[in-house]
Amino acid sequence: MNKMKPLIVANWKCNPTSLRKAKELFEQVVEGVKKEKNVQVVICPPFIYIPTFKQVAGKAVKIGCQDCHWEYHGAFTGEISASMAKDAGCEYIIIGHSERRRYFGETDDVVNKKLKAALEAGILPIFCIGETNEERRAGKTEAVLEGEINGGLEGINADDFSKITIAYEPIWAISDGDPYATKEMPTPENIKKAEVLIKDLVAENYGKKIVGAKIIYGGSVNAANSKSYLKEAGMSGLLVGGASLKAEEFVKIVKNV
Ligand code: 13P
């Protein structure tokens, strides 16, 4: 059986503020990781930078986007469809990020429609789930993850599920852009526990053969802690926010794999 390469995904969110800065960062990352053969690096910039990056991406780095609309096309002012993202060069797409759920009101139903649209367009979805601090403190983590998994994956068959990577991002561990800000962080044991839970929930939907589900971790990942989430917690990869905006730091995370 082919062992999957760890997936290291950069979620740039709404950064950086100009094409010049974005291109500089992108090129520095490509240069820094181009010899790394045992890892798959994906950069998800704001939509507007994607066409420029497609020309300089090369094999070392794949391009993803951070969202899409669920419809193929039509009168949806301001939206971009999954097929447009695919046409622009995206191979991956982040769906259901907690910031989309929180600031843009995305429900599990919306996330489900977007996952289906991405699969239909032939883009590999990175499906985000995770609990808030209040939910965690109220002992609701399991119920929240169950709701997000069941709602998000509704009607998606096992074959399509095999194309999805689940990103577990406990919302309480996500930084405001500074991965070294003092934040409560989950331990590798916490993450391992969540991973087992997610695999059980997925198995309830797809049966036991899905034990190989790809689950990556996100939340204040930096070069100092990345290894522990991969090696100790055994995650299939990482979804990196703030630290992916610093080329040197992000390249270190990739090399740490
Ligand atoms: P940080 O790495 O900045 O905590 O962001 C995590 C995240 O939300 C990635 O999608």
Side-chain angles (χ1 to χ4, degrees):
M1 202 175 86
N2 273 347
K3 197 169 170 329
M4 253 192 30
K5 291 180 184 182
L7 188 66
I8 308 295
V9 185
N11 177 8
W12 285 5
K13 308 190 180 183
C14 192
N15 299 290
T17 51
S18 71
L19 177 60
R20 182 186 59 75
K21 288 185 201 161
K23 204 160 166 261
E24 203 173 280
L25 174 60
F26 189 82
E27 285 170 351
Q28 283 169 354
V29 172
V30 171
E31 186 56 32
V33 306
K34 69 181 182 201
K35 297 211 178 83
E36 303 303 313
K37 301 275 181 262
N38 300 320
V39 53
Q40 181 59 63
V41 179
V42 180
I43 295 184
C44 302
F47 286 123
I48 196 156
Y49 302 141
I50 290 169
T52 308
F53 290 3
K54 190 183 170 185
Q55 295 156 26
V56 278
K59 278 202 192 115
V61 172
K62 293 193 190 282
I63 301 172
C65 57
Q66 303 169 17
D67 184 36
C68 68
H69 189 48
W70 61 83
E71 290 292 349
Y72 179 58
H73 74 125
F76 304 104
T77 301
E79 293 293 336
I80 284 167
S81 74
S83 57
M84 290 173 197
K86 170 81 175 177
D87 184 57
C90 294
E91 293 182 58
Y92 288 82
I93 184 165
I94 298 170
I95 303 274
H97 192 278
S98 58
E99 287 147 19
R100 299 276 339 150
R101 295 176 189 259
R102 179 168 164 206
Y103 301 123
F104 304 98
E106 285 194 10
T107 59
D108 292 328
D109 181 48
V110 166
V111 171
N112 177 249
K113 288 198 273 195
K114 291 186 175 192
L115 283 171
K116 287 175 177 164
L119 290 162
E120 178 74 28
I123 311 190
L124 300 171
I126 297 163
F127 165 38
C128 300
I129 57 171
E131 77 286 0
T132 63
N133 210 9
E134 296 73 54
E135 289 161 345
R136 174 173 71 122
R137 291 191 187 286
K140 292 185 181 154
T141 299
E142 186 167 345
V144 170
L145 298 184
E146 183 173 8
E148 289 180 338
I149 287 176
N150 292 346
L153 297 176
E154 171 80 39
I156 293 175
N157 65 32
D159 192 33
D160 275 342
F161 176 75
S162 67
K163 297 171 193 145
I164 296 177
T165 297
I166 295 179
Y168 174 55
E169 295 205 307
I171 298 167
W172 45 275
I174 294 179
S175 79
D176 293 324
D178 177 1
Y180 284 99
T182 337
K183 261 253 166 191
E184 198 181 346
M185 290 287 292
T187 62
E189 294 75 41
N190 294 150
I191 297 299
K192 187 87 214 154
K193 215 170 130 195
E195 191 205 15
V196 170
L197 172 64
I198 294 165
K199 284 192 170 162
D200 282 350
L201 293 167
V202 165
E204 280 172 26
N205 283 277
Y206 297 106
K208 289 274 179 251
K209 63 178 186 221
I210 298 290
V211 282
K214 299 169 290 252
I215 306 172
I216 65 176
Y217 168 74
S220 298
V221 170
N222 57 44
N225 64 28
S226 60
K227 223 176 192 157
S228 68
Y229 292 119
L230 292 172
K231 301 273 171 355
E232 289 168 49
M235 302 303 277
S236 304
L238 302 165
L239 180 51
V240 188
S244 71
L245 296 169
K246 299 171 186 142
E248 204 182 322
E249 181 83 10
F250 186 67
V251 168
K252 265 194 212 159
I253 292 173
V254 173
K255 292 195 170 184
N256 271 349
V257 169

